[in-house]
Amino acid sequence: TPPPPISVVSAELLEAVGLKVRAKNKEEHRTAITGLAQIYFKHYLRPRLEYVQEGGDDVNIDEILQIWENVDSDLESKFGWIPRNVFLCVSYSDAEDAEMRSRIYQIVDDTLLGTAKREGSTLTPTARACGLAIILQSLKSNDNSMKWCAFLMSQRASLQRALGSYLDARTKVKECE
């Protein structure tokens, strides 16, 4: 039997799952935020990016602009709060849940930005950029989630620079051998 359409899942039920993100049980709150992110991607972000995704890297700018013009306010209110909850989870200290921050990196990369190598989950670079813009737009209404998003992205940029420096140094060492 196929799963029921998301329309049968009420906003209240999604919000109840959202409350599980603050549960004391570590596995429970990790599972709740992961599930919510998957629902957000599959039932909100992916359909909203459908035409941008179909257009590939040469998508017409009009398709991109349609994302901002055709916003379903009912779907926005049902799903729009989920990215805020995802980024608020970055605030978990290592004492509360040492694995949560790395889980959020994974959720952002693989789920929200569509880089997972599962059928129907991988987005083109253009669709990923548009998806990130949609996510950032949803964060504007919550200063804390925007702050944690900026922290996560800043930390990511620092790690990428450090990795780049390491790779450059390793290449120079190999050249000297």
Side-chain angles (χ1 to χ4, degrees), residues 109-121:
D109 289 344
D110 295 347
T111 305
L112 294 181
L113 296 180
T115 58
K117 302 294 184 216
R118 295 182 307 273
E119 186 174 331
S121 295

Side-chain angles (χ1 to χ4, degrees), residues 129-142:
C130 292
L132 180 59
I134 291 168
I135 291 167
L136 291 174
Q137 178 72 25
S138 74
L139 299 181
K140 284 176 61 174
S141 66
N142 186 302

Side-chain angles (χ1 to χ4, degrees), residues 72-114:
D72 183 327
S73 59
D74 290 337
L75 287 176
E76 178 66 28
S77 66
K78 187 173 184 176
F79 298 107
W81 57 273
I82 294 174
R84 291 189 291 275
N85 275 23
V86 169
F87 285 103
L88 287 175
C89 287
V90 177
S91 69
Y92 276 89
S93 69
D94 285 346
E96 289 175 287
D97 187 349
E99 296 177 29
M100 183 57 107
R101 195 164 293 144
S102 57
R103 172 71 65 100
I104 298 304
Y105 274 119
Q106 182 181 8
I107 288 170
V108 170
D109 289 344
D110 295 347
T111 305
L112 294 181
L113 296 180

Side-chain angles (χ1 to χ4, degrees), residues 155-169:
Q155 194 174 41
R156 158 78 39 81
S158 295
L159 291 171
Q160 287 174 338
R161 282 191 299 277
L163 178 61
S165 296
Y166 166 77
L167 293 174
D168 289 344

